[in-house]
Amino acid sequence: MTFLLLRSKKPSPPALSSLDDKIDLLHRQELTLEAMVETLFRQWFIEEAQENWKEKSLSSIANFLNGLACQKYPPENDLEKLPVLKIKELSNGISESSDWATSNVKPEYIAEAGDVIFAWSASLMVKVWDGERCILNQHLFKLTSDEFPKWFYLMWCKHHLAEFISISSSHATTMGHIKRGDLDAAMVLVPSSEEIEAMSEKMNPILDKKIAISKQIRTLEKLRDTLLPKLMSGEVRVAL
């Protein structure tokens, strides 16, 4: 008697499908909030800009702190260390392949979720960091300001990003970049403190919600990537 062994493809685990659906929904919500922020900024500063608003350089509205050469700050032990935030991590999050550095550095070089990070070399981008606590690497700026709200310097950096990418691409080097002089040359419009405060009342809740959703997406994606091999191998089973 001959037996025929049939092999069937394993279906996608229900737990992962639910996670993917949730992540997809959050991504759509994030895009909607991003569009709302961009619409408000364009309305205020492009379509309805006031002639009496001051003009300042981008470099003057925030502190652009460049990161450390983290290879010079290796971990001293397994307790006092943090992952290193590089351009790759800014795009994809902290992973097993991320480098580590000692946490015994000046506090300003530690990046926290919610910080505005500007990659000024190679793949230029500006985003609000949504990952874990880490050490800021060189080629990344961390932006802070004691005078202006986060949304203000974040959106002005995004406004000039296409221009910065063009400048970076024009450099005859293997790794395009911008210089501090480019930040000095980029102009922003500055309303009165009362006007900025009124704008913040509309902008802050939207940006805060977007940041919260970004963090939730990162957490769920990490959970999905952790569960996938365990579910597929049978190490973890889901009760249906």
Side-chain angles (χ1 to χ4, degrees), residues 21 32 49 54 72 96 157 167 179 182 198 224 240:
D21 290 344
T32 299
K54 296 179 181 178
K72 297 181 180 179
E96 293 181 357
C157 283
I167 293 171
K179 300 177 181 178
D182 299 316
R224 179 194 60 193
L240 300 178

Side-chain angles (χ1 to χ4, degrees), residues 148-165:
F148 297 101
K150 181 185 298 183
W151 69 263
F152 188 74
Y153 53 83
L154 168 66
M155 295 308 297
W156 274 113
C157 283
K158 286 192 172 187
H159 176 74
H160 287 289
L161 188 60
E163 174 188 348
F164 291 147
I165 291 173

Side-chain angles (χ1 to χ4, degrees), residues 6-26:
L6 297 177
R7 295 186 179 183
S8 60
K9 185 178 179 182
K10 288 185 178 180
S12 178
L16 291 186
S17 297
S18 298
L19 275 176
D20 285 336
D21 290 344
K22 178 64 174 178
I23 291 169
D24 183 61
L25 174 62
L26 289 172

Side-chain angles (χ1 to χ4, degrees), residues 7-240:
R7 295 186 179 183
S8 60
K9 185 178 179 182
K10 288 185 178 180
S12 178
L16 291 186
S17 297
S18 298
L19 275 176
D20 285 336
D21 290 344
K22 178 64 174 178
I23 291 169
D24 183 61
L25 174 62
L26 289 172
H27 273 302
R28 293 199 300 271
Q29 292 177 354
E30 185 182 32
L31 288 174
T32 299
L33 293 170
E34 178 73 20
M36 291 172 65
V37 169
E38 291 176 353
T39 298
L40 282 175
F41 180 84
R42 181 172 184 82
Q43 176 187 338
W44 293 335
F45 296 98
I46 306 300
E47 298 170 358
E48 301 175 0
Q50 303 297 308
E51 293 184 0
N52 63 331
W53 287 353
K54 296 179 181 178
E55 194 174 47
K56 292 187 177 182
S57 66
L58 180 62
S59 59
S60 70
I61 66 169
N63 176 42
F64 289 75
L65 176 70
N66 192 28
L68 300 169
C70 286
Q71 69 271 21
K72 297 181 180 179
Y73 298 87
E76 298 169 3
N77 55 62
D78 288 336
L79 296 177
E80 298 175 306
K81 68 176 185 178
L82 288 170
V84 176
L85 177 59
K86 297 182 178 180
I87 295 173
K88 179 185 70 174
E89 283 75 20
L90 188 60
S91 296
N92 304 316
I94 303 298
S95 68
E96 293 181 357
S97 63
S98 298
D99 293 332
W100 291 78
T102 178
S103 58
N104 293 321
V105 298
K106 292 181 178 179
E108 56 263 37
Y109 291 104
I110 294 178
E112 307 273 4
D115 286 340
V116 176
I117 307 296
F118 184 164
W120 56 267
S121 178
S123 300
L124 271 67
M125 70 184 86
V126 182
K127 66 179 294 184
V128 178
W129 175 236
D130 55 6
E132 59 193 88
R133 198 165 182 255
C134 50
I135 305 295
L136 187 73
N137 194 59
Q138 58 186 349
H139 303 299
L140 297 179
F141 289 133
K142 183 172 81 170
L143 277 62
T144 56
S145 177
D146 294 328
E147 183 179 2
F148 297 101
K150 181 185 298 183
W151 69 263
F152 188 74
Y153 53 83
L154 168 66
M155 295 308 297
W156 274 113
C157 283
K158 286 192 172 187
H159 176 74
H160 287 289
L161 188 60
E163 174 188 348
F164 291 147
I165 291 173
S166 178
I167 293 171
S168 171
S169 300
S170 68
H171 290 169
T173 62
T174 56
M175 183 182 291
H177 63 279
I178 60 169
K179 300 177 181 178
R180 289 210 177 244
D182 299 316
L183 301 177
D184 297 336
M187 293 291 106
V188 309
L189 295 175
V190 182
S192 68
S193 57
E194 292 79 14
E195 289 171 308
I196 291 180
E197 185 175 351
M199 292 171 177
S200 295
E201 290 181 1
K202 294 183 178 180
M203 189 71 87
N204 283 342
I206 302 172
L207 184 59
D208 289 345
K209 188 173 181 179
K210 180 181 179 301
I211 291 172
I213 287 177
S214 296
K215 290 167 66 176
Q216 190 176 358
I217 290 171
R218 186 77 76 184
T219 299
L220 291 177
E221 287 177 339
K222 188 174 182 179
L223 175 61
R224 179 194 60 193
D225 295 342
T226 301
L227 281 177
L228 177 59
K230 294 182 179 181
L231 285 167
M232 299 306 292
S233 68
E235 180 181 347
V236 173
R237 297 184 182 277
V238 179
L240 300 178

